[in-house]
Amino acid sequence: MSHRDNVSPLLCSLKFVTLLVALSPELVFLGAGVQLRDNGYEGLLVAINPQVPENQNLIPNIKEMITEASFYLFNATKRRVFFRNIKILIPATWKANNYGKVKQESYEKANVIVTEWNGVNGDDPYTLQYRGCGREGKYIHFTSNFLLNDDLTTGYGSRGKVFVHEWAHLRWGVFDEYNNDKPFYLDGQNKIKATRCSSDIAGTFVCEKGPCPHENCIISKLFKEGCTFLYNSTQNAAASIMFMQSLSSVVEFCNASTHNQEAPNLQNQMCSLRSSWDVITDSSDFSHSFPMNGTEPPPPPTFSVVQAGNKVVCLVLDVSSKMAEADRYLRLQQAAEFYLMQIVEIHTFVGIASFNSKGQIRAQLHQINSDDDRKLLVSYLPLTVSAEAETSICSGLKKGFEVVEKLNGKASGSVMILVTSGADEHISNCLPTVLGSGATIHSIALGSSEAEKVEELSYRTGGLKFYVPDKSNSNSMVDAFSRISSGTGDIFQQSIQLESMSENVKPYHQMKNTVTVDSSVGNDTVFLVTWRISGPPEIRLLDPTGRKYYTDNFTTSLTSRTAYLCIPGTARPGRWAYSLNNTHHSPRALTVTVASRASSSTVPPATVEVFVEKDSTHFPDPVTIYANVRKGFYPILNATVTAMIEAESGDPVMLKLFDDGAGADVIKNDGIYSRYFFSFAVNGSYSLKVHVSGSPSISTLVHPIAGSHAMYVPGYIANGNIQMNAPRKSAHRSEEEQKWGFSRISSGGSFSVRGVPDGSHPDIFPPCKIIDLEAVKGEEEVTLSWTAPGEDFDQGQATSYEIRISKSLQSIQDDFNNAILVNTSKLNPQQAGTREIFTFLPRLFTNGLAHQPEREIQESHRIYVAIRAMDKNCLRSAVSNIAYVSLSGPPNSDSVPGRDHLILKVVLTALSLIGIICLVMVVTHYTLNKKKSSEKENGTKLL
């Protein structure tokens, strides 16, 4: 490629961006999420799930919560930020009440969601955080009961303060400062402390029958069952919001002076012992804003309530001659037919437009109420491509807008599915129209053409973007259409993809596999078989009962080269086995797709949502792939999750994802499976999809949601009296036994990579950062444990470890290289993902206290540990999270005695009492005898 070839796309991109900037700010930031402008957050979207019953108090309570949160947040951030405007999205299932109309807003894009669901954690508000410290989360979750039941405020605090607690999780990537699993710990002076921040928050140890000395709660430094620590309802401490936002005195985040670095909580683990305020002030929100002048409070937030109307979709399809290449249009026909027959939801209005150099309306809006409506729309799909090579995307979109505007006179809230194979240099001409229409553009780009401008349309309108490579054995087109849903959040109406298999089958060979239909799905189950040349393959399908289906049972279209089988009623749960026999004399590309819908309106099916951290990267930066696997809102653990990444050329790359809290995965057992991808073969676009399978033994209901929750306080000490709150309610649902497991497929769209060098390149990928280092003190030794990184990020096997320790947190944070090195010559790294264990003796840290600075004297019984890995080319990982242990210090009269000390104390006390009694008896006996002797002498004299 010439230098000019490199520069030309860049200039086009610059022109495109320049035009965006020239547009109004409202258009520029469409689809960009929440923005901070002049100290105020704009564009916050709260969405109510369709399963939530209509309640007239819900919207006022949401408004009241965020209004209170805005003033509380403003003061907590030292007059830095507040909430300026908020949109509340009402589901279409609620009655119309003069609400505004949606534009690009949808449930799937919401920052805050409100559902009817509660689980093991009861009504705990929580934030789904899938990235590390200082990184934004996915959404905040509230139950409708939390927002409606005022009794819950006694345990959680006011809703506005809870919202700020969760907002700090979502926006700034800080973590909780409490730990329900480790409510107590030993501090540096060997004292038992409650896990809290700040340490100034006071309370009392409580046994089963009331307050008690803390030694009564301890047996060999372990707490008896039934012991807890209740905090005083009246406090003087101002921090921290990330610990106990329910306290009236708490108005600040923990900062450097109040942060409790010893507490075994997620904030310390994830952020290497940094305070929440330190992390917050490092955010881009704070680096690009300044505190507001004066003493006036910020203006109260403004709210707009919008409601989703009719679901309106228009297919905008490229029919230029470029679509004839590599069977592009045939694959588009097959996928569009499948979308219309299976994917698009009931009661949706659908229209069709096409374009080459000009646009054409193929079908006006038609509402889908039956299979006949679906078949009618399929009949309007273009059958052939034109002879023109020129493409005018603007002409196609213009016709698409004409179609959707026929319903309500506006395009707001509608969806365009744009499929194109050619670059359009004139797309900028219709940008103002597109961005101002209120429509969402989902784009599907085919082949190796430059698709950046089309993808930018999707990004700016909040749509999805997909890439379909020119490969005969790729099923990416069907996968892309299968991923596009209405965005309403109603999982009971959406089509769920169970299988996507494609293969170049040799002559007279078979492609065969099994697909699991679990009991949570089964309605509207469809098997789709596609091929490229000649007639259909020989199809054989076996259901779990042994019933057989053959090619003749399928509805075959020789025009689109598809074969459908719709299973009537609810498909039988279990394993369905299929085989496709290539009876042709040459190799053929065959595909199988299976989709279904929920079998019940009350039991949610397992789902998978796939996404990447960023949709473009520059070599050698990796792409982080995520798969959110859930049943309702319960995380599904121990599933087998595999990503398949396809580039423009070369074989697909298969990559297993993990939910182990190591490498790319931040929180263990949160249902989000993650992995780094860096095997970039070429520059350009990459297509992504994920396959998930679960074994019959997997339980989705016994585990609470891991991660960030607002703390529910079980009770307080008020005026010396114990006041317990109502026990937190949790849902205990009975689930029928799953005998067959489950299977799911979902597309993750596309991402692009630039800067990949030609040919081979030297190793430039270091091991990934260790994020789960833990340290435990034994009798004399310290035992470290962590998850092994790889030779390259989280793949392969590192060469060596570098472990360093220090008595100063500041030293190991700021100058890891000069901390004391631990001998690791006998420590050989294991395969990535393996749990590593290493033990060493820290004796040299027990001396020399007199020569330490005052700050270090306070930490004299604590050592800090960090680790990094090295590969064979001496590339080093980033320094791990910092762990610490408390070493045994000198005897402390305030320390809590263990059982042996208590026994010794009792024995010594008893012996002392016996000694005192004996002494008293001796003295008394001596006194009495002396007195008698004196009286006898006096009597003699008298006589």
Side-chain angles (χ1 to χ4, degrees), residues 752-765:
S752 60
V753 182
R754 297 289 180 264
V756 180
D758 294 331
S760 60
H761 50 78
D763 178 21
I764 54 176
F765 302 118

Side-chain angles (χ1 to χ4, degrees), residues 275-450:
S275 72
S276 55
W277 183 245
D278 185 31
V279 175
I280 291 168
T281 53
D282 269 355
S283 69
S284 59
D285 286 353
F286 277 58
S287 60
H288 295 100
S289 66
F290 299 93
M292 292 177 62
N293 296 323
T295 59
E296 293 295 318
T302 59
F303 296 87
S304 56
V305 182
V306 297
Q307 185 175 32
N310 293 311
K311 292 173 284 190
V312 180
V313 176
C314 185
L315 305 185
V316 182
L317 311 177
D318 187 347
V319 293
S320 68
S321 61
K322 290 183 179 179
M323 291 295 292
E325 300 172 9
D327 287 329
R328 291 175 183 171
Y329 194 74
L330 174 62
R331 288 185 288 156
L332 170 58
Q333 270 188 310
Q334 294 169 343
E337 183 178 322
F338 184 61
Y339 176 80
L340 294 172
M341 291 300 299
Q342 170 68 20
I343 306 300
V344 68
E345 297 167 23
I346 195 79
H347 306 314
T348 303
F349 288 87
V350 181
I352 303 173
S354 64
F355 65 94
N356 42 33
S357 62
K358 298 179 181 179
Q360 180 181 355
I361 295 175
R362 298 281 180 165
Q364 296 290 354
L365 288 180
H366 194 90
Q367 189 175 30
I368 295 178
N369 294 307
S370 66
D371 284 346
D372 289 339
D373 296 321
R374 295 179 183 274
K375 293 175 183 176
L376 178 63
L377 282 164
V378 169
S379 71
Y380 289 124
L381 289 172
L383 297 177
T384 59
V385 298
S386 71
E388 290 188 36
E390 184 181 353
T391 58
S392 173
I393 293 173
C394 286
S395 297
L397 290 174
K398 181 180 178 181
K399 292 300 180 182
F401 288 137
E402 288 181 19
V403 170
V404 299
E405 287 170 356
K406 288 287 180 69
L407 188 63
N408 296 314
K410 294 182 180 180
S412 288
S414 64
V415 170
M416 302 280 171
I417 301 178
L418 173 63
V419 185
T420 182
S421 64
D424 182 357
E425 297 298 326
H426 305 291
I427 192 172
S428 57
N429 295 339
C430 59
L431 278 175
T433 302
V434 172
L435 298 180
S437 67
T440 298
I441 312 293
H442 300 307
S443 64
I444 303 176
L446 287 79
S448 58
S449 62
E450 290 291 331

Side-chain angles (χ1 to χ4, degrees), residues 462-626:
L464 303 171
K465 64 186 185 68
F466 304 90
Y467 165 70
V468 178
D470 285 334
K471 296 181 179 179
S472 61
N473 63 338
S474 173
N475 203 29
S476 298
M477 180 74 81
V478 172
D479 296 334
F481 270 98
S482 299
R483 171 66 179 84
I484 299 172
S485 69
S486 63
T488 62
D490 190 355
I491 191 61
F492 297 100
Q493 296 297 322
Q494 295 173 9
S495 180
I496 297 171
Q497 193 174 2
L498 309 184
E499 174 75 322
S500 174
M501 187 78 173
S502 57
E503 189 177 317
N504 279 324
V505 182
K506 295 178 181 179
Y508 310 110
H509 281 68
Q510 288 184 340
M511 180 178 84
K512 57 184 179 179
N513 199 12
T514 60
V515 58
T516 301
V517 178
D518 59 280
S519 59
S520 70
V521 295
N523 288 353
D524 295 338
T525 302
V526 172
F527 286 79
L528 167 68
V529 176
T530 72
W531 61 94
R532 299 285 183 266
I533 56 175
S534 188
E538 187 179 87
I539 305 171
R540 184 174 181 270
L541 177 66
L542 189 69
D543 80 2
T545 66
R547 180 179 177 180
K548 297 176 182 178
Y549 300 86
Y550 299 98
T551 309
D552 292 343
N553 301 117
F554 283 68
T555 301
T556 303
S557 169
L558 297 179
T559 304
S560 60
R561 296 169 191 169
T562 58
Y564 281 91
L565 177 65
C566 300
I567 306 300
T570 302
R572 289 186 177 274
R575 291 186 180 90
W576 293 63
Y578 63 84
S579 64
L580 307 182
N581 187 18
N582 179 14
T583 57
H584 207 256
H585 55 77
S586 61
R588 288 209 291 173
L590 305 177
T591 76
V592 174
T593 305
V594 184
S596 187
R597 283 187 166 83
S599 60
S600 165
S601 60
T602 57
V603 179
T607 58
V608 55
E609 178 191 10
V610 184
F611 50 95
V612 293
E613 183 169 13
K614 51 185 178 181
D615 55 12
S616 64
T617 191
H618 194 280
F619 184 89
D621 292 340
V623 170
T624 308
I625 299 172
Y626 301 97

Side-chain angles (χ1 to χ4, degrees), residues 694-729:
S695 67
S697 62
I698 289 178
S699 171
T700 63
L701 302 177
V702 298
H703 300 282
I705 295 177
S708 305
H709 299 251
M711 182 179 184
Y712 183 83
V713 182
Y716 297 98
I717 303 295
N719 298 320
N721 298 316
I722 298 174
Q723 294 182 353
M724 299 302 294
N725 294 321
R728 182 175 57 178
K729 293 182 179 179

